[in-house]
């Protein structure tokens, strides 16, 4: 799969749920490539912004879209990676703030 094909697939699935891609096309492209690299490396698309253990059970919470996306987008308008954003964030209606790491320290390797 190409990064462009992944983008189109995820866009079609996520936008109806209220999750949009950031308007930073270069960043989104880099993240699409990194997700595909992680799929090749681990067998699943683990978040490229976090350190993976390489064990699907240990990484389950950071398989994209991660378990923290909904809370991040609800509170900050963006997920930790700035890949998925709310419509208000995308439209510039809310400030683009730093999104802190929500993953518990004991899960970070």
């Amino acid at each position: 799969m190409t990064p462009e094909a992944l983008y189109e697939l995820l866009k079609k699935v996520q936008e109806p749920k209220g999750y949009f891609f950031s308007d930073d096309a270069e960043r989104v492209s880099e993240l699409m490539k990194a997700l595909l690299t992680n799929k090749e490396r681990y067998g699943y698309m683990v978040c490229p912004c976090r350190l993976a253990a390489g064990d699907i059970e240990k990484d389950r919470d950071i398989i994209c879209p991660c378990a923290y996306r909904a809370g991040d987008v609800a509170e900050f308008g963006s997920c930790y990676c700035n890949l998925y954003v709310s419509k208000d964030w995308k439209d510039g209606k809310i400030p683009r703030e730093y999104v802190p790491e929500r993953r518990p320290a004991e899960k970070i390797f």
Side-chain angles (χ1 to χ4, degrees):
M1 176 175 285
T2 66
E4 297 79 16
L6 179 60
Y7 174 91
E8 291 302 325
L9 174 70
L10 293 176
K11 181 178 179 180
K12 189 185 312 182
V13 171
Q14 298 303 323
E15 281 191 1
K17 297 177 184 179
Y19 297 103
F20 300 85
F21 286 126
S22 166
D23 54 6
D24 183 343
E26 185 177 335
R27 172 88 174 140
V28 171
S29 178
E30 289 171 4
L31 290 169
M32 291 295 126
K33 290 173 189 170
L35 284 169
L36 291 171
T37 296
N38 283 347
K39 171 90 170 141
E40 288 177 26
R41 183 180 292 149
Y42 302 113
Y44 48 94
M45 290 193 302
V46 68
C47 176
C49 300
R50 295 180 167 106
L51 185 60
D55 176 325
I56 195 165
E57 290 308 315
K58 290 179 180 176
D59 292 338
R60 191 162 303 281
D61 64 322
I62 58 170
I63 294 174
C64 188
C66 75
Y68 312 103
R69 178 184 71 170
D72 288 347
V73 173
E75 186 174 346
F76 299 100
S78 172
C79 72
Y80 181 68
C81 295
N82 297 132
L83 176 62
Y84 289 110
V85 300
S86 69
K87 183 152 179 31
D88 285 345
W89 191 96
K90 186 175 178 115
D91 293 344
K93 294 180 180 177
I94 60 173
R96 295 182 177 188
E97 300 178 38
Y98 169 76
V99 180
E101 175 64 271
R102 290 181 188 264
R103 194 172 197 215
E106 64 271 9
K107 289 193 168 209
I108 298 173
F109 303 98

